[in-house]
Amino acid sequence: MTPAPSPETAIDTTAPLDGSTPRKRLFIRTWGCQMNVYDSGRMADVLAPLGYGPAETPEEADMVILNTCHIREKASEKVFSDLGRLRVMKEARAEAGQKMVLAVAGCVAQAEGKEITTRAPWVDIVLGPQTYHRLPEMVARAARAAGAQIDTDFPVEQKFDLLPQPRADQGPTAFLTIQEGCDKFCSFCVVPYTRGAEFSRPVAAIVAEARRLVAGGAREISLLGQNVNAWHGEGPGGATWTLSRLLYELAEIEGLARLRYTTSHPRDMDDDLIQAHGRIPQLMPFLHLPVQSGSDKILAAMNRGHQADLFFRITDQLREVRPDMAFTSDFIVGHPGEKAEDHAATMALVEKVGFALSYSFKYSARPGTPAAGQPFQVAEAEKDARLQELQALLRQQQDAFNLSCVGLECDILFTGTGRHPGQMAGRSPWLQPVHALGNADLVGRVARVKIAAAMPNSLSATLLDAKELTPA
Ligand code: SF4
């Protein structure tokens, strides 16, 4: 599972679905991966009929939800320090005779529900990722009863069947969760414990949601799942479909210019999916494929179920069918048992594959995961040195990739205005932020540009043809 590039994203919540004026204000702070961002949107949707509309800040909110991530120790500690600040706000509101409901959702809630209510007894609601559809009921119970309401079940009913449809007007780029949970039990990961077993949404529900998003203005859809390429949903007539078949189906939706999917596991990159990259023009030539380590010994200790060689084969094959393919990955340095030669194997893998962008972290023991109790923990100083070396190489590759784009003609999906007057902002096929001078009516359209310059984290471009490639 991949944390989003920014460790913390404050998400704007939505206005009531029925268009009425919100009577109460909701603030959701989201940490972690894009699936959490998607879930925060669903929680806002489920609370909208109760009269909750968006609050700009927690200070002005009647309800605050912290949607948490458990992937790194620091992330869960941030939750507790946020809860300390919220306590002060809640007490000030109470003195003024007003109520503030505090909820903790997401993976920290799932993994540490009891600890949250012990360490922060002023929290009203603790709910795990599988029970967001029960949020209105919990809000009502919290209003009636004293003490925290905790719901960290893995219920039999599927939340996707019970949550309201996401708002369709999410803008030119939209996320669509198609799969949740994981059965793989990597040694360092809490997802199988916090999100439960793999679940794949059925084809009909996904296609219907995708059509609504496109009708609402989405030109790009990113399919989400903790193990998205393990998706195996029920198709029409009860047959099980694979992700490649789903991608072909979604590519038929008129007006949908771009498709992406994340996060994938090398073990689930089957031949059909690889071939789909060469056959579906809407499928962007950019894949996030976490490898974690280049050492077969460490990959085995991580219980990843593949060796470095499989990663080389997949990336080679994808480049064969789609020569402009670029990759991003996740790396963990300092897994228990990692020696200097294992780290050297990771460096060699990075050199050989070449990445456009990557996320790398020091191993941190997550309570309850198998690696936490393993012997041969690597010293912090050693982890720091290895991480620095890896990140320097990854940064060099990222810069080289961005520089290689200068002079290139490519299509940009424009998503909004830029920081400077007359400037429009969009994304390249490889997800780089791109700026170009242009008119505001470019938003939501794909247009041809020539890349003029590469900055550290973005590109600037010149519009080649103001004639849009995708009609509004
Ligand atoms: S494949 Fe491994 S890292 Fe990814 S979600 Fe499953 S257990 Fe976690």
Side-chain angles (χ1 to χ4, degrees):
M1 200 184 63
T2 311
S6 145
E8 181 183 327
T9 320
I11 185 170
D12 280 344
T13 52
T14 58
L17 293 176
D18 61 4
S20 59
T21 311
R23 295 186 305 275
K24 296 176 215 156
R25 303 270 158 199
L26 170 66
F27 182 85
I28 306 183
R29 177 161 289 148
T30 308
W31 284 276
C33 64
Q34 283 152 339
M35 294 201 51
N36 265 12
V37 176
Y38 179 90
D39 282 349
S40 290
R42 300 292 71 68
M43 284 191 274
D45 293 343
V46 87
L47 289 171
L50 269 63
Y52 281 96
E56 295 289 328
T57 61
E59 284 84 355
E60 66 187 43
D62 300 291
M63 178 168 181
V64 175
I65 302 176
L66 302 183
N67 190 9
T68 62
C69 170
H70 199 262
I71 207 86
R72 276 168 286 158
E73 199 165 15
K74 266 197 194 144
S76 53
E77 275 316 308
K78 271 191 188 170
V79 174
F80 283 106
S81 55
D82 237 23
L83 283 174
R85 284 190 291 276
L86 288 167
R87 177 191 195 169
V88 178
M89 282 179 218
K90 186 174 175 162
E91 286 171 354
R93 293 288 289 271
E95 275 171 27
Q98 291 163 352
K99 197 168 163 55
M100 181 191 239
V101 179
L102 289 185
V104 182
C107 292
V108 174
Q110 184 69 43
E112 300 178 25
K114 281 270 176 320
E115 194 183 340
I116 290 168
T117 53
T118 311
R119 280 178 66 179
W122 55 94
V123 168
D124 302 290
I125 293 171
V126 176
L127 76 167
Q130 304 309 322
T131 55
Y132 295 154
H133 55 289
R134 296 180 183 166
L135 191 49
E137 181 193 326
M138 296 180 78
V139 172
R141 283 213 310 260
R144 289 194 302 266
Q149 303 297 310
I150 305 182
D151 193 343
T152 49
D153 287 357
F154 288 112
V156 183
E157 76 268 14
Q158 277 303 332
K159 69 173 180 187
F160 292 108
D161 297 339
L162 298 161
L163 286 168
Q165 292 272 354
R167 290 171 67 98
D169 53 342
Q170 294 184 29
T173 58
F175 295 118
L176 198 171
T177 293
I178 65 167
Q179 183 277 339
E180 251 201 308
C182 182
D183 297 336
K184 295 199 168 59
F185 293 91
C186 298
S187 66
F188 52 82
C189 181
V190 292
V191 165
Y193 311 97
T194 58
R195 296 268 175 169
E198 272 177 25
F199 167 74
S200 296
R201 292 179 73 191
V203 173
I206 296 167
V207 173
E209 192 170 324
R211 286 190 187 284
R212 287 184 63 249
L213 291 168
V214 173
R219 293 289 169 261
E220 171 179 303
I221 292 181
S222 298
L223 306 179
L224 300 180
Q226 265 105 18
N227 242 230
V228 74
N229 58 343
W231 178 86
H232 55 283
E234 187 185 323
T240 301
W241 283 31
T242 58
L243 181 61
S244 53
R245 192 162 174 198
L246 178 68
L247 288 165
Y248 285 108
E249 182 76 17
L250 293 173
E252 294 294 316
I253 298 177
E254 207 174 317
L256 180 57
R258 292 180 166 190
L259 274 167
R260 303 179 189 273
Y261 60 93
T262 196
T263 295
S264 297
H265 194 295
R267 272 166 65 183
D268 296 310
M269 284 306 299
D270 62 31
D271 279 348
D272 288 345
L273 187 52
I274 291 171
Q275 293 306 322
H277 278 269
R279 291 178 184 155
I280 302 177
Q282 292 93 330
L283 197 50
M284 290 294 96
F286 191 65
L287 182 68
H288 182 67
L289 192 62
V291 63
Q292 310 297 1
S293 171
S295 153
D296 288 345
K297 185 192 95 188
I298 294 300
L299 287 170
M302 288 176 165
N303 194 32
R304 293 287 291 168
H306 68 87
Q307 300 191 325
D309 194 45
L310 178 71
F311 196 81
F312 294 133
R313 277 212 311 276
I314 293 168
T315 46
D316 284 351
Q317 284 170 1
L318 280 165
R319 281 180 168 137
E320 240 166 65
V321 299
R322 187 82 208 236
D324 57 350
M325 196 79 194
F327 298 98
T328 72
S329 198
D330 292 341
F331 296 89
I332 294 175
V333 302
H335 186 275
E338 187 190 79
K339 297 214 168 108
E341 61 263 30
D342 300 309
H343 176 65
T346 300
M347 296 295 291
L349 180 140
V350 173
E351 289 278 9
K352 186 164 174 187
V353 175
F355 293 94
L357 179 79
S358 278
Y359 308 103
S360 47
F361 309 100
K362 275 191 298 183
Y363 168 78
S364 77
R366 308 311 298 124
T369 58
Q374 281 178 17
F376 313 117
Q377 299 282 335
V378 179
E380 278 308 303
E382 190 54 49
K383 283 190 213 171
D384 284 335
R386 289 178 194 171
L387 186 64
Q388 263 185 26
E389 191 191 12
L390 176 63
Q391 288 186 336
L393 178 58
L394 290 169
R395 181 77 231 183
Q396 202 183 310
Q397 291 190 341
Q398 182 179 337
D399 292 346
F401 179 73
N402 287 342
L403 264 179
S404 75
C405 294
V406 176
L408 199 74
E409 292 182 13
C410 63
D411 294 341
I412 301 300
L413 170 60
F414 283 93
T415 51
T417 50
R419 269 197 237 135
H420 303 294
Q423 196 184 54
M424 301 302 296
R427 293 276 175 169
S428 76
W430 307 280
L431 265 184
Q432 297 137 302
V434 180
H435 300 107
L437 292 177
N439 294 328
D441 65 0
L442 278 171
V443 174
R445 296 164 193 265
V446 178
R448 196 83 178 157
V449 304
K450 184 166 184 174
I451 305 297
M455 277 75 74
N457 296 305
S458 63
L459 303 173
S460 72
T462 314
L463 210 55
L464 283 181
D465 192 351
K467 181 176 145 301
E468 302 84 10
L469 299 181
T470 50

